[in-house]
Amino acid sequence: MELSMMFFALIVLLVIGVPIGYAIGSSGILYMLMTNPTFLMTFPQRVWSGTESFIIIAMPLFMLTGELMNHSGLTRRLIDFSMLLVRPLGGGLGEVNVVASMIFGGISGSSVADTSALGSILIPDMVKKGYPKKFAAGITVASSTIGMIIPPSVPMLMYAMVSGASVGKLFLAGLIPGILVGVTQLILTYVISRKRGYHPVKEKIDTKSIIKITKDGSLAMLMPVLIIVTVSFGIATASESAGIAVLYAAILGFFVYKELKWKEVGNALKKTFMMSSSIMIIGGFTMIFTWILAVEQVPVAIASFLLNSHIPSWMVFLFLDILILVLGTFLDVTPCILLISPILLPVMQQFGMSELQFGAIIIVGLAIGLVTPPVGMCLNVASKICNMEIVEIFRGALPFIICNIVVLLLITFVPAFSMWLPSLMG
Amino acid sequence: MHENGKRDCMNRCILGLDKALSIFGKALVGVLACGVIISVILRYVFSIAFVSSEELLTMVFVATTFFGAALGLRENEHIAVNSFTDKMPEKAKRVCSILAQVFIIIVSVFMIYFSIRMIQKVGKVPSPATRIPRGFYYGLMPVSFVITIFYAIVNILKLYVPIAEPVKGYKEDFELGLEGEA
């Protein structure tokens, strides 16, 4: 009864627009008042424990890295580098969009940042080169979903916080699914572009330019490689690795690309402060929610219900995918991870799914939510860039989102796609 | 005239607090980044590791969360589900907006009251690495939630009296996009 009231209160508060963290806090207070008011003594302690984590320091530092790189003129350099990479295929800006998203994702760790940075340059460029606006915006938002799948990934850090999974192994679990989404989208873009005649005539490029573009692009690409290698092989913790990434981004911005200004560093610090706290305050209040679920043994009850109902595990897994896709259309990525992981992870573990596979599924699934109306953050950003209705952009993105759904099903039913790389670590 | 003078004074106070928190937040993130970088260099280059640095950096991070959340209320940076309220008529939207702030105030009052109780109970216990009394760290909660309540009241007042908009000082993601388009 108390639990139902808590969930009901949470839904009502979310609907009336109470910020998610405070909605969780309010419903938690209601539960404690109804069950045992002495529980309230532990209320601030649980919120505190949800924010007190050395590993999660990596989150603001990765955000800061992305901000510094954005202000260092990295985006244009990455686009030029991606153009060079797709040249042998005879590809155009559609393919460049996907390749640049794959590289950019390894730097920013955020899909929204990817849509904003790449979309602001590529959508107008693509329209100028004769691509329909709907296609240009569609491929931009769809490919930006790769940003939060390819490591480093801010949502993965949040999942690591609630699940206790190893950050290094999680990064590796997301690598193959991220590359798969990219490759399938790349193939589809190539096929569509070839059929509709979007591919440009190859222009000549001199060796000097090739060397410069390769140097600039490789220096940027070195960062995700550095992060993945150091974290995954236990050379450095996620926070230390993020610290190295900040230093590397600052050196590139100030001394190599020479485009970073001190004023922009200040702005990047402020933006990081605000973004990080808006996520972490939800993380703090979610600890109350997690504690209540544990006290009430909700995951155990759901798992025993499903096990006693003799529902085949494939059906449970399929239901998980559908649930993630549906929730992703209404809730933002981080709150969704923080809210559903404590309930569903123990249930899925009962069905033999590992925490790493569950992490990969939830990240790939929720990335799709970023490009589906009504709460598609990437759609909103793209809509502001190209002045198009979000539903129109969604229609343009739909063929490419199917690639994401195929990968989601693959990692759900073939664990090796997410588990093989982490298993190499032992 | 007297009313206008009062309003100007109130706006100056609000903007002053905004600026102070903004500078404090930038400093916290700066210290966090520099602290991690320095400890990495000390550990890997000079093989020196400070146990206390991890604890101090974690506390800096906790401070960014609580104070950032308070300022986030003023700058409307909190993550919320707006798809339902966006479709509501203006009057209902206003009621929901006030209700949202009221719930924030309720949660903050509970946080302040019980965190003070917590400090009274375990505040003198020293932290494991730095031996600083835990109460010193836990003090971040009541202070930041008092600021949260202040901003929640400002947000309610803003619906009835003109209050200066916050100066964020950075561009939103979509604004960066528009800049690129131009």
Side-chain angles (χ1 to χ4, degrees):
Chain A
M1 173 65 186
E2 289 87 358
L3 201 65
S4 320
M5 283 295 286
M6 184 187 83
F7 277 111
F8 178 72
L10 179 63
I11 291 166
V12 171
L13 293 172
L14 289 177
V15 167
I16 65 168
V18 177
I20 295 170
Y22 297 94
I24 298 168
S26 304
S27 49
I29 289 171
L30 179 72
Y31 171 86
M32 290 174 171
L33 285 173
M34 285 190 303
T35 49
N36 184 353
T38 55
F39 284 160
L40 282 165
M41 279 302 291
T42 63
F43 187 77
Q45 197 188 350
R46 299 203 185 281
V47 178
W48 180 271
S49 69
T51 58
E52 189 188 23
S53 160
F54 183 69
I55 292 296
I56 300 299
I57 291 177
M59 180 187 68
L61 297 186
F62 281 136
M63 286 173 170
L64 184 61
T65 305
E67 286 299 313
L68 293 179
M69 291 297 258
N70 260 345
H71 289 293
S72 302
L74 171 86
T75 317
R76 180 44 84 185
R77 287 179 170 88
L78 274 186
I79 290 171
D80 290 344
F81 184 58
S82 305
M83 277 180 178
L84 208 63
L85 290 177
V86 301
R87 250 178 88 82
L89 302 170
L93 286 177
E95 288 85 347
V96 167
N97 207 322
V98 180
V99 173
S101 285
M102 290 171 78
I103 305 172
F104 200 87
I107 293 162
S108 71
S110 151
S111 296
V112 181
D114 183 330
T115 307
S116 159
L118 294 176
S120 59
I121 295 176
L122 279 174
I123 296 175
D125 271 10
M126 286 177 80
V127 173
K128 263 184 227 157
K129 298 258 174 180
Y131 285 86
K133 206 173 178 184
K134 190 168 130 183
F135 180 86
I139 182 67
T140 301
V141 292
S143 65
S144 69
T145 56
I146 305 166
M148 63 174 258
I149 307 171
I150 287 190
S153 155
V154 171
M156 265 184 207
L157 286 169
M158 297 314 292
Y159 174 73
M161 186 180 93
V162 282
S163 67
S166 144
V167 176
K169 285 185 176 177
L170 258 178
F171 279 2
L172 288 179
L175 193 57
I176 291 180
I179 292 171
L180 267 180
V181 174
V183 171
T184 47
Q185 286 188 352
L186 193 64
I187 294 169
L188 186 62
T189 311
Y190 184 81
V191 171
I192 294 174
S193 301
R194 203 182 163 95
K195 204 172 154 192
R196 297 185 191 167
Y198 295 153
H199 283 148
V201 182
K202 233 186 209 178
E203 285 169 19
K204 271 199 164 178
I205 181 165
D206 58 275
T207 321
K208 209 175 155 189
S209 304
I210 292 177
I211 293 169
K212 192 184 177 317
I213 293 169
T214 310
K215 190 192 103 188
D216 283 351
S218 310
L219 283 172
M221 266 188 80
L222 196 63
M223 184 190 287
V225 175
L226 199 75
I227 294 169
I228 296 168
V229 169
T230 53
V231 178
S232 303
F233 291 93
I235 300 166
T237 64
S239 315
E240 288 172 340
S241 170
I244 300 167
V246 172
L247 183 65
Y248 186 75
I251 292 171
L252 272 193
F254 279 121
F255 305 111
V256 182
Y257 297 158
K258 293 176 183 163
E259 285 189 30
L260 190 61
K261 307 277 183 299
W262 276 108
K263 190 179 175 248
E264 285 157 356
V265 175
N267 293 342
L269 289 172
K270 170 79 188 292
K271 197 170 177 184
T272 304
F273 175 53
M274 301 313 293
M275 286 194 299
S276 165
S277 59
S278 70
I279 291 175
M280 280 313 295
I281 198 69
I282 301 175
F285 283 114
T286 304
M287 282 300 139
I288 296 166
F289 188 72
T290 311
W291 175 76
I292 294 170
L293 293 176
V295 167
E296 293 280 348
Q297 299 191 311
V298 175
V300 179
I302 297 174
S304 14
F305 167 75
L306 291 173
L307 286 168
N308 293 334
S309 308
H310 302 290
I311 299 171
S313 55
W314 68 266
M315 210 180 261
V316 176
F317 294 167
L318 192 64
F319 175 72
L320 171 73
D321 284 354
I322 295 167
L323 185 72
I324 290 171
L325 289 176
V326 172
L327 285 174
T329 60
F330 291 100
L331 273 173
D332 203 5
V333 175
T334 311
C336 211
I337 289 173
L338 294 172
L339 284 173
I340 67 171
S341 301
I343 307 175
L344 294 181
L345 175 60
V347 175
M348 291 303 146
Q349 281 175 323
Q350 292 290 319
F351 284 86
M353 188 181 274
S354 82
E355 59 193 12
L356 293 177
Q357 191 189 355
F358 182 83
I361 291 172
I362 202 168
I363 299 290
V364 173
L366 290 178
I368 299 169
L370 287 172
V371 288
T372 49
V375 192
M377 294 293 282
C378 292
L379 284 179
N380 290 337
V381 172
S383 159
K384 297 227 162 84
I385 292 172
C386 63
N387 201 19
M388 264 177 94
E389 286 288 320
I390 57 168
V391 178
E392 264 308 284
I393 301 173
F394 172 66
R395 283 198 192 120
L398 201 54
F400 305 101
I401 296 171
I402 292 169
C403 298
N404 291 51
I405 295 173
V406 169
V407 173
L408 176 66
L409 291 171
L410 273 178
I411 59 169
T412 305
F413 295 104
V414 188
F417 281 110
S418 53
M419 298 299 296
W420 178 66
L421 275 181
S423 71
L424 296 179
M425 280 174 67
Chain B
M1 191 64 192
H2 184 62
E3 272 297 306
N4 281 346
K6 262 187 188 170
R7 202 171 297 150
D8 284 349
C9 180
M10 183 176 72
N11 274 330
R12 268 202 301 273
C13 288
I14 295 168
L15 289 174
L17 181 64
D18 291 353
K19 198 168 182 185
L21 271 181
S22 188
I23 293 169
F24 182 54
K26 284 181 195 179
L28 286 175
V29 179
V31 167
L32 197 63
C34 293
V36 173
I37 292 167
I38 291 168
S39 56
V40 168
I41 293 171
L42 286 177
R43 188 176 148 194
Y44 291 96
V45 181
F46 300 102
S47 301
I48 304 168
F50 292 106
V51 189
S52 51
S53 68
E54 193 170 301
E55 183 184 298
L56 286 172
L57 288 171
T58 308
M59 291 309 127
V60 171
F61 177 55
V62 173
T64 63
T65 300
F66 288 120
F67 287 100
L71 185 59
L73 205 55
R74 166 88 171 124
E75 296 191 358
N76 200 18
E77 283 295 321
H78 278 285
I79 305 170
V81 180
N82 293 321
S83 38
F84 300 102
T85 48
D86 283 350
K87 290 188 183 91
M88 289 178 185
E90 217 38 56
K91 210 171 174 183
K93 218 185 263 183
R94 183 176 277 231
V95 172
C96 286
S97 178
I98 294 170
L99 277 175
Q101 302 303 320
V102 169
F103 279 104
I104 291 169
I105 293 172
I106 293 171
V107 173
S108 304
V109 168
F110 273 88
M111 280 298 291
I112 294 167
Y113 178 74
F114 287 102
S115 59
I116 290 173
R117 293 274 303 266
M118 190 169 118
I119 293 167
Q120 285 167 344
K121 212 172 164 188
V122 293
K124 285 185 184 141
V125 177
S127 65
T130 57
R131 311 303 293 167
I132 294 172
R134 301 280 307 177
F136 180 76
Y137 295 143
Y138 291 149
L140 293 171
M141 283 191 285
V143 176
S144 62
F145 279 96
V146 165
I147 301 171
T148 303
I149 292 177
F150 174 76
Y151 279 138
I153 294 168
V154 168
N155 284 348
I156 295 174
L157 284 176
K158 209 171 151 186
L159 296 169
Y160 300 97
V161 287
I163 287 178
E165 287 297 324
V167 184
K168 290 189 176 184
Y170 61 88
K171 285 187 166 63
E172 295 288 357
D173 283 333
F174 65 84
E175 288 172 322
L176 282 171
L178 292 172
E179 191 182 59
E181 192 186 29

